[in-house]
Amino acid sequence: INSYIYNKENKWILNNNLLWTTYETDINNKNKISLSLAYINHTQDPETQFYKWYKGSLLEKSYSKYMTGIYNTLRSSLTYTRSFLQNTTLISGLEYEYTNSIPPYANDQVLASSDKFEGETANIIKNALTINEQRFAFFSQLKYSIFNNLDLILGGRYDYSIRNKETFN
């Protein structure tokens, strides 16, 4: 059983930044286009530490664990909406996403050691764990409003990922 406690001598610093903008324009009363751009950044300070006890030991036999994590994503989407008749809408769009991340980890999970890695060793670990992902998507759905509170929706989505190849839903 692993036990973690937060200790005032240690620190846990996270930076979360989100920049998101959307532009919408009505072409006419039946057609609309929207463009959305987002940048997401989540960074855990490399000096972040948790206090960890040795398995089955008292608090005196604890040691600091170093953890890190980075998540950067750039996301964009273009959506076209067209209204047919009074109760039918077609929504189609394209999406693109680029992600560069390194998951949070404890060093003992990587190399069975509780050391803090710095310099070239830290760079090797970072390069081995960093995930670069690009994803492209196309989606379309047709919505028919039967009643005020009941819609019938038929849709499809195709995603292509550089890492995970393709999927259709």
Side-chain angles (χ1 to χ4, degrees):
I1 295 173
N2 291 329
S3 299
Y4 297 90
I5 61 169
Y6 186 71
N7 187 303
K8 66 182 179 182
E9 286 90 29
N10 298 324
K11 63 180 179 177
W12 185 18
I13 302 172
L14 298 173
N15 291 314
N16 288 302
N17 302 294
L18 173 63
L19 177 62
W20 180 21
T21 184
T22 299
Y23 174 76
E24 287 187 0
T25 185
D26 291 329
I27 299 170
N28 55 40
N29 63 345
K30 294 187 179 252
N31 296 286
K32 178 170 65 170
I33 292 179
S34 66
L35 174 66
S36 178
L37 298 170
Y39 173 71
I40 302 156
N41 168 264
H42 169 85
T43 305
Q44 187 172 342
D45 188 289
E47 299 298 317
T48 294
Q49 301 177 46
F50 292 88
Y51 226 49
K52 187 175 178 180
W53 296 335
Y54 284 101
K55 195 173 186 178
S57 296
L58 299 173
L59 185 57
E60 300 90 48
K61 298 217 176 190
S62 59
Y63 56 96
S64 293
K65 292 302 299 177
Y66 297 84
M67 302 184 72
T68 188
I70 299 169
Y71 177 80
N72 292 309
T73 295
L74 180 60
R75 188 179 296 156
S76 63
S77 67
L78 178 65
T79 305
Y80 170 72
T81 305
R82 177 169 172 85
S83 297
F84 298 94
L85 308 170
Q86 191 167 353
N87 54 356
T88 306
T89 306
L90 173 70
I91 302 169
S92 296
L94 301 168
E95 288 183 358
Y96 171 75
E97 183 176 288
Y98 172 76
T99 300
N100 175 275
S101 68
I102 179 170
Y105 70 93
N107 295 332
D108 64 339
Q109 295 171 345
V110 178
L111 297 174
S113 171
S114 61
D115 301 326
K116 177 184 175 193
F117 297 106
E118 297 179 305
E120 185 62 27
T121 304
N123 288 334
I124 291 169
I125 292 170
K126 181 179 177 183
N127 292 337
L129 294 179
T130 298
I131 297 169
N132 288 303
E133 168 73 270
Q134 290 186 66
R135 184 182 58 78
F136 305 91
F138 170 76
F139 59 90
S140 188
Q141 74 177 36
L142 187 62
K143 180 177 92 168
Y144 176 70
S145 296
I146 300 170
F147 304 110
N148 280 343
N149 295 327
L150 180 63
D151 294 334
L152 177 64
I153 299 174
L154 176 66
R157 181 182 175 100
Y158 172 80
D159 284 88
Y160 179 79
S161 162
I162 300 297
R163 292 184 70 228
N164 301 314
K165 302 305 172 210
E166 59 188 301
T167 185
F168 179 78
N169 296 303

